[in-house]
């Protein structure tokens, strides 16, 4: 159980750090790429980002649901909340991917950037909430072990 929780915590905390970076630094810089090179930049961004986010997201989702079978420190509610947040981040990522698809086809404008940022803020907050859940689960396991 500890290895499963540690894998879940590592994947979740990695994604929290990444999503905050993307939300605060990366997405707001999109307009500064310039119209001429933006389509290629965005295509490369989308392709490369997939390779960075897909493995930890998959680990996070799978381990979140596996933890439901034997909740750490008998924390069923926290474990269920973690699974809900993991699923929610996948749903929100699909919505963000759709927004990226529109940007890739039509280019970047103020409305599409605002839409992407709004979706991404909700996703960032969901991931942050999952991180809080994971830290609480780790604390429960640690306090139960001492």
């Amino acid at each position: 159980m500890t290895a499963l929780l540690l894998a879940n915590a590592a994947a979740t905390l990695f994604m929290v750090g990444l999503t905050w970076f993307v939300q605060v630094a990366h997405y707001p810089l999109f307009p500064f790429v310039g119209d001429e090179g933006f389509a290629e930049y965005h295509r490369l961004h989308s392709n490369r980002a997939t390779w960075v986010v897909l493995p930890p997201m998959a680990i996070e989702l799978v381990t979140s649901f596996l933890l439901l079978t034997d909740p750490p420190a008998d924390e069923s509610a926290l474990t269920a909340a973690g699974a809900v947040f993991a699923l929610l981040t996948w749903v929100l990522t699909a919505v963000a991917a759709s927004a990226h698809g529109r940007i890739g086809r039509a280019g970047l404008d103020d409305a599409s950037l605002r839409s992407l940022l709004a979706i991404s803020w909700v996703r960032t907050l969901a991931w942050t909430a999952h991180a809080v859940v994971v830290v609480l689960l780790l604390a429960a396991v640690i306090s139960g072990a001492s």
Side-chain angles (χ1 to χ4, degrees):
M1 176 55 61
T2 303
L4 197 58
L5 178 57
L6 289 175
N8 181 257
T12 301
L13 295 173
F14 173 84
M15 288 307 303
V16 169
L18 182 62
T19 197
W20 274 99
F21 169 79
V22 167
Q23 182 65 31
V24 173
H26 188 62
Y27 285 166
L29 293 175
F30 272 13
F32 297 97
V33 172
D35 292 339
E36 187 176 314
F38 184 79
E40 181 65 5
Y41 172 83
H42 185 264
R43 184 186 69 75
L44 291 170
H45 156 82
S46 296
N47 290 342
R48 291 177 181 188
T50 299
W51 291 104
V52 173
V53 302
L54 190 57
M57 282 184 68
I59 291 167
E60 178 190 27
L61 184 67
V62 169
T63 57
S64 291
F65 279 88
L66 288 174
L67 286 169
L68 290 171
T69 63
D70 185 16
D74 292 325
E75 291 285 352
S76 300
L78 279 175
T79 305
V84 168
F85 284 126
L87 184 59
L88 179 59
T89 59
W90 273 80
V91 170
L92 292 167
T93 298
V95 175
S98 176
H100 273 289
R102 285 190 302 277
I103 290 169
R105 288 186 302 276
L108 184 69
D109 58 37
D110 287 342
S112 61
L113 180 60
R114 278 193 310 274
S115 175
L116 179 62
L117 286 169
I119 294 160
S120 187
W121 267 120
V122 176
R123 183 174 58 174
T124 298
L125 295 175
W127 251 312
T128 302
H130 193 192
V132 169
V133 167
V134 165
V135 169
L136 290 172
L137 285 171
L138 288 169
V141 168
I142 291 167
S143 70
S146 50

